[in-house]
Amino acid sequence: MSQVKYKRVILKVSGEALAGSQGTGINPEVISHLAAEIKSVHDMGVEIGIVCGGGNMWRGETGAKMGMERAQADYMGMLATIMNGLALQDGLENLGVPTRVQTSIEMRQIAEPYIRRKAMRHLEKGRVVIFGGGTGNPYFSTDTTAALRAAEIGADVILMAKNGVDGVYSADPKVDPDATKFSELTQLDLISKNLKVMDRTASSLSMDNDIPLVVFNVNKPGNIKKVIQGENIGTVIKGGK
Ligand code: UDP
């Protein structure tokens, strides 16, 4: 294997990242770009698990605001993450990357159910595993899913693929010209500085299990590879307490 800092990773792809500039839905060009980026690190022998968000299609919160029962709306969000996962699988298979989709809510006709040991076996065999359906529970997020799956499969890092944002800033760089980028933070910093990188459940799970996080801009070609090789792009958030 060529020089890599992380051997087994969880890549968290938010729904927003899949929508590209159109903001909602799935953008085929983004899927092709992402698939090529993922392939480039797969070719280096890196074991890759992917957790897809669903916010490009549906969020439970939105449904709740419309008056729906929160749990019902959240299940719809979980289904959205599976659609994204299938789109990403298609993109990866077009490039000849072997993949499996595992869902936390059973849908045996289209994907395997999530089985931790099986997922790890797939990774060892060089298959990219896409985890769809979030945790399978309402009131959680796919950020929490990423932290959970990372802990379960013993991932070295969570790579937070952002759409156009190259790390964590002190303020929104699009609004505040004085916003500065952090190159390194801890999970505790996120809480004390009220930085909205991931929700608190995901943060505390990452902290308790000492899983680092790298927030980086996935739109720029070559960035996933740079992160894997340990280049200092984006923001590293240390997992430990
Ligand atoms: N969701 C859920 N439980 C989970 C993961 C996700 O209920 O374990 C639902 C929740 O409604 C959420 C939606 O799925 O709003 C989409 O996930 P998320 O908001 O995390 O996606 P992202 O913001 O990454 O696109």
Side-chain angles (χ1 to χ4, degrees):
M1 199 187 322
S2 26
Q3 263 335 88
V4 296
K5 181 169 183 189
Y6 308 111
K7 196 183 170 305
R8 178 175 285 183
V9 305
I10 284 287
L11 177 69
K12 163 70 209 290
V13 182
S14 67
E16 198 195 12
L18 291 175
S21 54
Q22 71 204 33
T24 56
I26 298 173
N27 182 324
E29 281 163 27
V30 172
I31 294 282
S32 306
H33 162 73
L34 255 178
E37 289 288 293
I38 294 164
K39 182 180 186 305
S40 74
V41 289
H42 179 262
D43 288 347
M44 293 162 75
V46 177
E47 295 177 3
I48 308 155
I50 302 174
V51 172
C52 287
N56 53 329
M57 287 187 241
W58 183 260
R59 277 181 210 283
E61 236 176 18
T62 316
K65 278 187 192 141
M66 287 161 49
M68 286 182 71
E69 193 193 351
R70 176 65 193 255
Q72 177 87 342
D74 275 339
Y75 280 114
M76 290 170 65
M78 288 182 248
L79 294 178
T81 72
I82 296 170
M83 288 175 68
N84 282 335
L86 292 176
L88 209 46
Q89 178 177 44
D90 189 74
L92 284 164
E93 282 184 343
N94 279 338
L95 300 180
V97 179
T99 65
R100 293 290 186 274
V101 176
Q102 290 201 341
T103 58
S104 52
I105 295 168
E106 281 199 26
M107 298 193 176
R108 285 177 181 265
Q109 284 80 0
I110 54 170
E112 293 177 2
Y114 172 63
I115 298 169
R116 175 178 161 267
R117 284 175 188 276
K118 213 166 172 189
M120 289 169 74
R121 188 81 188 107
H122 287 320
L123 292 172
E124 284 160 13
K125 286 190 167 178
R127 296 170 186 143
V128 173
V129 182
I130 300 169
F131 299 106
T135 61
N137 300 293
Y139 300 101
F140 287 94
S141 68
T142 52
D143 284 354
T144 298
T145 312
L148 179 63
R149 296 290 182 250
E152 284 185 274
I153 66 164
D156 304 318
V157 69
I158 300 169
L159 308 180
M160 280 275 224
K162 292 284 176 188
N163 181 16
V165 186
D166 68 346
V168 182
Y169 282 79
S170 56
D172 185 348
K174 286 175 201 146
V175 180
D176 185 347
D178 294 331
T180 51
K181 190 177 128 187
F182 298 106
S183 65
E184 205 174 290
L185 289 165
T186 63
Q187 286 289 352
L188 279 180
D189 290 333
L190 298 189
I191 296 169
S192 66
K193 295 183 199 295
N194 198 25
L195 298 167
K196 291 185 177 56
V197 176
M198 62 195 326
D199 59 85
R200 289 196 179 184
T201 312
S203 260
S204 57
L205 205 53
S206 306
M207 187 163 72
D208 290 349
N209 294 290
D210 204 7
I211 306 164
L213 191 79
V214 182
V215 180
F216 70 104
N217 180 9
V218 75
N219 293 355
K220 222 171 164 194
N223 264 2
I224 296 187
K225 201 169 188 174
K226 285 183 181 162
V227 173
I228 291 288
Q229 289 174 326
E231 261 189 61
N232 203 5
I233 60 162
T235 303
V236 177
I237 296 146
K238 293 198 165 167
K241 290 173 201 177

